[in-house]
Amino acid sequence: MKVVNLKQAILQAWKERWTDYQWAINMKKFFPKGATWDILNLAEALLEQAMIGPSPNPLILSYLKYAISSQMVSYSSVLTAISKFDDFSRDLCVQALLDVMDMFCDRLSCHGKAEECIGLCRALLSALHWLLRCTAASAERLQEGLEASTSATGEKQLALCLRCLEKTLSSTKNRALLHIAKLEEASSWTAIEHSILKLGEILANLSNPQLRSQAEQCSTLIRSIPTMLSVHSEQLHKTGFPTVHALVLLEGTMNLTGEMQPLVEQLMMVKRMQHIPTPLFVLEIWKACFVGLIESPEGTQELKWTAFTYLKIPQVLVKLKKYSHGDKDFTEDVNCAFEFLLKLTPLLDKADQRCNCDCTNFLLQECNKQGLLSEANFANLVAKRTADRDPQLKSSENANIQPNPGLILRAEPTVTNILKTMDADHSKSPEGLLGVLGHMLSGKSLDLLLAAAAATGKLKSFARKFINLNEFTTHGSGESTKTASVRALLFDISFLMLCHVAQTYGSEVILSESSTGEEVPFFETWMQTCMPEEGKILNPDHPCFRPDSTKVESLVALLNNSSEMKLVQMKWHEACLSISAAILEILNAWENGVLAFESIQKITDNIKGKVCSLAVCAVAWLVAHVRMLGLDEREKSLQMIRQLAGPLYSENTLQFYNERVVIMNSILEHMCADVLQQTATQIKFPSTGVDTMPYWNLLPPKRPIKEVLTDIFAKVLEKGWVDSRSIHILDTLLHMGGVYWFCNNLIKELLKETRKEHTLRAVELLYSIFCLDMQQVTLVLLGHILPGLLTDSSKWHSLMDPPGTALAKLAVWCALSSYSSHKGQASSRQKKRHREDIEDYISLFPVEDMQPSKLMRLLSSNEDDANILSSPSEHLRGSGLLLGLTPPLLQDSPPASSLSNLFLLISSILGSRTAGPHTQFVQWFMEECVDCLEQDSRGSILQFMPFTTVSELVKVSAMSSPKVVLAITDLSLPLGRQVAAKAIAAL
């Protein structure tokens, strides 16, 4: 018989009762090689013939089973064929189909092309939908069945459906394939969700609890498919998290003016990366705040910490609340954190003793006000703290000293009122404004107000108002003596305040966003060109110090001949710009014997007698001048600084003189600190009883900085947390040694650790230390240090476990933080560094040749020849390896460029034939990338991994899991889904 088509061949086999293997042999004779059985739709044709009658044809079914077992037909074609059957009233046919599915539903695979693997995902999705419909139909019939026999049959069929569903869904591989299918066919997934809801409604009335429980488990498994990558177990065995502690300390000590959002995002990233439960996370923030309150040096730093704890951190928690799944949950977590905190009675008592008040009570009130605690929880916590508090603390509180927390909380609304006052027209009531400013200068009012403004993000606005006021007072026309003295005082106070703000909080707070065409205010010009700052070297011969000679001559004559400074019609900004040249003339005259010391005393008294800002400008130039002089030439310049720094004991001074002198001396001490250390000179500034520069000059003398670095890190590691003094020493070392030196030496210390718990603690602490300048440190780590370790076989031994695992974890944490913050804004702490950036990473590595050996050789070479270095972006885009990247990302972002180069190196290591600790390191690195992933965030650092790496990675036994493949591919792209499906289907 000549066979015309598939149907005829099947019918002939049935008529002649061929056995399954006879059928297979004859089929291959009838249909010569060429078209595959899937193209001929063999599975569908067999099922169609088998299901013609009320019961299935066992012989034709045996042919189908043989075709499946001998791989004549693919699993996807069989699943597609089964999902087309929709007459669920034919029990025996349904049972036969379930039996066929049961053969292979937990061992699906495909070794064909990527398109065939995607086809398997789609077929499995269709089959899942069919199974759900089948289960629902069986459950409906069971409910309708009145006779006992019908009920038993219905229960049996429902049990079969649920068993097949459970077997299909219990495989992680199948769930991963369904995850891909969901992204491929969103509409089909919607249909599945509807089917689950319908099934739930039907089964709610089912009398058999076992079947109902089984159905609920299946529904839960299906619902978990879209989120199968976001399930992370939280660290419940740990109670201390040094990274959070150090981050909060770092921010409170060095970056009070920083914006809140970057801090919130960084804290959330640490929480996610380390899987920290929310109550313990909030507890760690409070612990760090209380430690900061206890150890902060007296004076400005103490006020800064109080403002940070009571004004900024509650606002940070309000923002963190938005990341939480529900308001009620978060308030419960905050309550739980406070419950834990109240158990740390010694810490709280110590803070109370330092602050002369019940610190916790103030904090609870503030959190209650911000809606972070319910009224009931608030009352309960206050009662608990009152009961636990050391009774001696209450009796020892000094009623005459107002506690800082109370002062800071009262200062916040005052800042708002002052800003409103400053908005008024200055010309209408300058005396009233002077009264407000004079009140601000008394005691520690200024530092309190500035700390409150800094913590609430109002300091820039505060500074802007004072710059406008300073600009307003530079000119006076047709004024009386009284008006002139008020104008002089307003100029002086605003100038001193702005200098104080710049030194305490950084000059970037003062600078405005320059818009072309606008005239730059006098104070900004002076600060940028004439004011000494840490790391800023000024040229005393710069044109900014050499104004119009006629103005200089008249100023010299005024200082030398008058008994005191004139005020009427005085252009104070011109006097401030001319004073440097005037001082040079006076110095020359003194050195050449034209002026005697008594004349110099009279001149310096004149300079500081009315407005202190002239003395500040004079010392600013003298500091720059002294740096340029030889050892034997400095005496007179330093003597003049001494003269200007001392107060003037005269009754003929303007209002608020003593208060202004206190601020002036603080400014001068900051200005002179560097030059006095370099010239080994001492100038005794009038003391206020408080160390105005507590974190200055912390490095021990005559010790190599590498020793200091290793020593401080060893102490920090031993303690298990970073204190604020250590943070400042580490920051100084980062400035002195540079980023590469700093990072390289700390990584060496990490690789020396051999105990697992020590390496983990070291990673947590190093990450927080690297936050001093995360962007630059990450570029060095990913671009220099890791390639150096991975390509030099003599260093491979240092990558063994546990230090190798720890380094992989640290590298991933840094990469994630740096890349995410690069997309946003660098923190102000990192912007304020006067330090050159690392080399341009766009052109750091050559990757024109993809051969692993050449890539290895080039990556490990030290050549920096511009001719051999070229941009990786063009090659990557041209090769189609990184189709997830948009060209600007590679061109404009150093973190992106260094990440893409590192992943190319990883790819080449996996493709090479040499195994060792370096390949193990790559595995740890990828595992940590997967562990740190959030749901729907595969667009983070793994987007820089070439797609070709996936097939190499799954050859590593520890990485050959469906979840890992889903995690390391960008499933938002069709190509990414194909790569993932191909890798998973072959597992």
Side-chain angles (χ1 to χ4, degrees):
M1 171 185 175
K2 188 185 176 187
V3 177
V4 177
N5 59 26
L6 208 53
K7 187 178 173 183
Q8 286 180 336
I10 295 165
L11 287 171
Q12 184 184 350
W14 174 65
K15 284 175 188 172
E16 296 178 14
R17 299 293 188 269
W18 293 344
T19 59
D20 48 15
Y21 66 88
Q22 277 181 315
W23 169 79
I25 292 165
N26 288 330
M27 288 294 282
K28 284 171 186 173
K29 285 179 186 172
F30 292 153
F31 298 91
K33 286 181 182 178
T36 63
W37 297 113
D38 279 1
I39 290 173
L40 295 168
N41 281 335
L42 177 60
E44 194 176 327
L46 285 168
L47 266 183
E48 195 182 305
Q49 293 302 315
M51 300 292 157
I52 285 173
S55 63
N57 186 319
L59 185 64
I60 297 179
L61 270 184
S62 74
Y63 297 159
L64 178 62
K65 289 177 181 176
Y66 187 87
I68 293 167
S69 302
S70 61
Q71 295 184 356
M72 282 176 71
V73 289
S74 66
Y75 293 128
S76 57
S77 65
V78 179
L79 290 170
T80 306
I82 290 172
S83 61
K84 287 180 180 176
F85 183 85
D86 56 3
D87 188 356
F88 298 118
S89 61
R90 291 154 66 187
D91 293 347
L92 294 173
C93 290
V94 170
Q95 285 173 26
L97 291 175
L98 291 170
D99 189 38
V100 170
M101 268 193 85
D102 194 57
M103 284 175 61
F104 61 85
C105 66
D106 58 344
R107 52 183 181 86
L108 295 176
S109 64
C110 177
H111 297 277
K113 294 177 182 175
E115 293 82 2
E116 292 169 30
C117 299
I118 286 286
L120 176 61
C121 297
R122 288 182 170 140
L124 184 58
L125 192 66
S126 302
L128 176 65
H129 191 206
W130 181 83
L131 275 171
L132 287 168
R133 284 163 51 223
C134 185
T135 309
S138 303
E140 276 179 336
R141 289 184 63 207
L142 178 60
Q143 281 183 348
E144 291 164 7
L146 301 171
E147 298 171 24
S149 59
T150 317
S151 177
T153 310
E155 235 177 62
K156 183 187 172 189
Q157 184 157 320
L158 181 57
L160 276 172
C161 289
L162 290 171
R163 180 169 165 269
C164 196
L165 252 180
E166 197 171 28
K167 194 172 178 182
T168 305
L169 293 167
S170 59
S171 159
T172 311
K173 179 177 175 176
N174 286 357
R175 293 202 304 279
L177 293 171
L178 287 166
H179 186 90
I180 295 167
K182 171 198 168 286
L183 297 169
E184 282 284 319
E185 296 186 355
S187 57
S188 301
W189 186 258
T190 309
I192 281 175
E193 286 174 330
H194 288 315
S195 299
I196 295 171
L197 290 171
K198 185 184 173 187
L199 184 61
E201 288 166 11
I202 296 165
L203 292 173
N205 306 317
L206 198 65
S207 57
N208 188 326
Q210 190 181 348
L211 290 175
R212 197 164 62 242
S213 165
Q214 205 175 355
E216 281 169 6
Q217 281 177 3
C218 291
S219 298
T220 306
L221 281 170
I222 295 170
R223 287 194 182 98
S224 74
I225 287 167
T227 58
M228 66 186 294
L229 287 178
S230 61
V231 181
H232 289 301
S233 57
E234 291 187 326
Q235 293 196 51
L236 299 173
H237 60 283
K238 278 185 73 176
T239 52
F241 299 94
T243 309
V244 178
H245 189 101
L247 257 178
V248 174
L249 271 177
L250 179 70
E251 204 70 17
T253 309
M254 303 182 78
N255 198 30
L256 181 62
T257 54
E259 287 179 28
M260 248 177 273
Q261 195 55 35
L263 172 61
V264 170
E265 285 170 11
Q266 197 165 27
L267 284 168
M268 277 308 294
M269 178 160 279
V270 171
K271 182 181 185 295
R272 285 191 295 260
M273 289 190 304
Q274 299 187 15
H275 314 311
I276 308 172
T278 307
L280 295 180
F281 173 66
V282 177
L283 170 67
E284 201 63 53
I285 293 173
W286 290 139
K287 275 162 63 179
C289 287
F290 276 93
V291 168
L293 284 174
I294 293 164
E295 69 171 21
S296 58
E298 196 181 340
T300 310
Q301 288 298 327
E302 188 182 4
L303 295 176
K304 278 182 169 185
W305 256 110
T306 312
F308 181 72
T309 303
Y310 291 93
L311 296 178
K312 191 166 187 175
I313 288 295
Q315 289 297 329
V316 166
L317 288 180
V318 168
K319 284 186 177 285
L320 285 170
K321 186 177 179 180
K322 291 173 186 171
Y323 287 83
S324 177
H325 295 300
D327 284 4
K328 195 175 178 186
D329 293 346
F330 192 77
T331 50
E332 277 307 311
D333 287 334
V334 171
N335 177 53
C336 188
F338 271 117
E339 293 270 8
F340 290 142
L341 183 68
L342 293 187
K343 291 175 184 173
L344 306 174
T345 312
L347 175 75
L348 303 184
D349 286 352
K350 183 93 173 160
D352 287 1
Q353 189 182 353
R354 170 76 200 270
C355 297
N356 191 44
C357 66
D358 186 347
C359 294
T360 319
N361 200 337
F362 276 113
L363 197 55
L364 289 168
Q365 284 176 28
E366 198 58 25
C367 288
N368 184 37
K369 196 164 78 178
Q370 299 293 345
L372 295 166
L373 282 172
S374 66
E375 286 296 336
N377 287 339
F378 168 68
N380 176 39
L381 291 166
V382 169
K384 272 189 181 177
R385 175 59 189 150
T386 310
D388 293 344
R389 197 170 179 235
D390 186 345
Q392 288 184 346
L393 285 168
K394 183 72 182 166
S395 57
S396 64
E397 279 178 17
N398 189 338
N400 298 322
I401 301 173
Q402 287 190 298
N404 286 335
L407 289 171
I408 278 288
L409 291 169
R410 287 206 299 279
E412 189 207 359
T414 311
V415 169
T416 313
N417 293 334
I418 288 172
L419 288 173
K420 284 178 186 170
T421 307
M422 298 287 291
D423 278 333
D425 186 352
H426 304 316
S427 58
K428 287 183 179 173
S429 60
E431 290 88 353
L433 181 59
L434 182 61
V436 172
L437 298 188
H439 183 68
M440 281 174 66
L441 294 179
S442 61
K444 55 183 181 183
S445 295
L446 178 60
D447 282 329
L448 263 170
L449 292 166
L450 292 179
T456 50
K458 293 173 184 162
L459 188 60
K460 208 165 177 66
S461 172
F462 206 79
R464 188 66 12 215
K465 307 279 188 216
F466 279 97
I467 282 177
N468 294 339
L469 172 63
N470 185 262
E471 199 69 8
F472 164 75
T473 56
T474 51
H475 298 281
S477 55
E479 56 186 3
S480 64
T481 310
K482 187 186 175 185
T483 315
S485 65
V486 169
R487 185 171 66 85
L489 278 168
L490 288 175
F491 176 85
D492 200 38
I493 292 171
S494 58
F495 187 94
L496 292 173
M497 279 186 178
L498 288 165
C499 285
H500 184 61
V501 169
Q503 287 181 340
T504 313
Y505 294 99
S507 53
E508 68 280 352
V509 175
I510 306 288
L511 299 174
S512 57
E513 285 75 22
S514 56
S515 53
T516 51
E518 276 187 32
E519 192 179 338
V520 180
F522 153 70
F523 185 82
E524 275 190 53
T525 309
W526 179 83
M527 186 186 72
Q528 286 180 289
T529 53
C530 308
M531 183 174 166
E533 286 181 273
E534 187 187 356
K536 181 167 138 189
I537 305 297
L538 297 172
N539 174 11
D541 299 323
H542 190 276
C544 71
F545 292 119
R546 297 283 173 272
D548 183 6
S549 57
T550 53
K551 290 176 184 174
V552 175
E553 283 168 17
S554 61
L555 182 61
V556 170
L558 184 67
L559 293 170
N560 192 26
N561 302 329
S562 308
S563 57
E564 60 179 55
M565 263 319 248
K566 72 160 192 164
L567 302 176
V568 179
Q569 304 291 328
M570 189 70 176
K571 294 182 178 177
W572 292 111
H573 66 299
E574 286 184 4
C576 284
L577 291 171
S578 304
I579 193 76
S580 51
I583 289 286
L584 177 61
E585 295 290 330
I586 293 159
L587 258 180
N588 287 336
W590 186 17
E591 283 171 352
N592 292 316
V594 177
L595 288 174
F597 181 65
E598 289 73 23
S599 302
I600 299 298
Q601 275 184 313
K602 178 191 161 192
I603 289 168
T604 52
D605 285 353
N606 266 342
I607 290 171
K608 67 189 177 187
K610 296 290 184 188
V611 290
C612 298
S613 38
L614 275 181
V616 171
C617 295
V619 172
W621 178 80
L622 282 166
V623 164
H625 181 63
V626 167
R627 279 184 195 275
M628 305 298 167
L629 298 176
L631 193 63
D632 53 341
E633 300 171 313
R634 295 172 181 157
E635 183 50 41
K636 284 189 166 55
S637 298
L638 292 169
Q639 184 70 12
M640 193 170 269
I641 294 176
R642 281 192 191 93
Q643 288 295 317
L644 288 165
L648 177 68
Y649 300 105
S650 162
E651 291 181 7
N652 196 18
T653 53
L654 296 177
Q655 267 178 293
F656 314 117
Y657 184 69
N658 291 337
E659 290 88 345
R660 285 184 289 133
V661 165
V662 169
I663 299 175
M664 177 189 82
N665 281 319
S666 166
I667 294 165
L668 298 187
E669 192 175 349
H670 275 85
M671 278 184 176
C672 299
D674 271 353
V675 79
L676 294 182
Q677 186 191 28
Q678 288 161 12
T679 57
T681 311
Q682 279 192 326
I683 292 179
K684 190 150 181 67
F685 292 92
S687 173
T688 54
V690 173
D691 184 359
T692 55
M693 300 178 67
Y695 292 122
W696 187 77
N697 197 19
L698 293 174
L699 293 187
K702 298 179 182 176
R703 272 193 77 191
I705 57 172
K706 187 177 176 184
E707 266 183 41
V708 178
L709 181 66
T710 52
D711 189 42
I712 197 84
F713 181 65
K715 284 177 183 170
V716 162
L717 193 57
E718 190 182 346
K719 274 199 299 189
W721 56 283
V722 188
D723 58 281
S724 51
R725 189 174 184 277
S726 302
I727 285 172
H728 278 271
I729 293 174
L730 288 162
D731 189 51
T732 308
L733 291 168
L734 175 58
H735 271 283
M736 289 181 107
V739 186
Y740 180 81
W741 173 87
F742 184 78
C743 183
N744 191 36
N745 282 305
L746 285 175
I747 294 297
K748 281 179 184 174
E749 292 305 304
L750 170 64
L751 295 176
K752 285 178 192 172
E753 292 298 329
T754 52
R755 289 178 60 185
K756 192 169 184 178
E757 60 272 27
H758 278 194
T759 56
L760 185 59
R761 190 194 296 169
V763 166
E764 292 178 332
L765 291 167
L766 276 176
Y767 172 82
S768 54
I769 290 167
F770 287 170
C771 284
L772 285 166
D773 198 345
M774 183 57 82
Q775 287 278 338
Q776 300 297 328
V777 167
T778 305
L779 292 178
V780 162
L781 181 60
L782 303 185
H784 279 294
I785 294 169
L786 284 187
L789 289 167
L790 290 170
T791 55
D792 186 350
S793 55
S794 66
K795 293 177 183 172
W796 287 351
H797 67 278
S798 63
L799 296 174
M800 302 282 277
D801 193 32
T805 324
L807 179 57
K809 190 181 281 287
L810 179 64
V812 172
W813 288 2
C814 290
L816 278 168
S817 300
S818 185
Y819 178 63
S820 64
S821 67
H822 191 276
K823 290 190 292 184
Q825 292 295 318
S827 78
S828 59
R829 189 177 64 247
Q830 290 165 11
K831 284 182 200 163
K832 69 176 77 159
R833 301 195 170 282
H834 299 289
R835 179 163 31 76
E836 73 286 351
D837 278 357
I838 300 300
E839 302 95 322
D840 181 5
Y841 271 72
I842 303 299
S843 59
L844 189 62
F845 293 132
V847 289
E848 288 302 299
D849 194 314
M850 287 298 289
Q851 289 177 347
S853 57
K854 185 171 180 188
L855 184 68
M856 289 269 201
R857 191 172 71 251
L858 288 169
L859 281 165
S860 60
S861 77
N862 292 319
E863 292 176 43
D864 280 330
D865 186 351
N867 298 324
I868 65 156
L869 296 178
S870 56
S871 167
S873 52
E874 295 212 9
H875 180 84
L876 292 170
R877 288 200 298 279
S879 65
L881 286 172
L882 288 161
L883 298 180
L885 283 172
T886 51
L889 191 60
L890 272 170
Q891 289 172 347
D892 302 337
S893 161
S897 189
S898 58
L899 272 165
S900 59
N901 284 311
L902 181 64
F903 275 115
L904 281 173
L905 175 57
I906 283 173
S907 190
S908 72
I909 288 170
L910 289 168
S912 68
R913 294 174 187 174
T914 314
H918 64 308
T919 47
Q920 186 72 56
F921 176 85
V922 166
Q923 180 193 317
W924 292 325
F925 184 87
M926 296 307 299
E927 281 174 352
E928 190 58 35
C929 282
V930 172
D931 191 47
C932 289
L933 274 176
E934 298 167 66
Q935 181 64 14
D936 297 328
S937 73
R938 284 169 300 289
S940 68
I941 63 171
L942 282 170
Q943 68 173 310
F944 299 100
M945 186 182 72
F947 282 134
T948 49
T949 310
V950 178
S951 55
E952 295 292 343
L953 263 177
V954 292
K955 293 174 187 173
V956 181
S957 58
M959 304 298 288
S960 59
S961 83
K963 274 192 179 182
V964 169
V965 175
L966 286 181
I968 62 179
T969 45
D970 187 353
L971 299 177
S972 61
L973 300 171
L975 181 55
R977 293 195 289 273
Q978 285 179 22
V979 168
K982 189 169 169 33
I984 293 168
L987 289 175

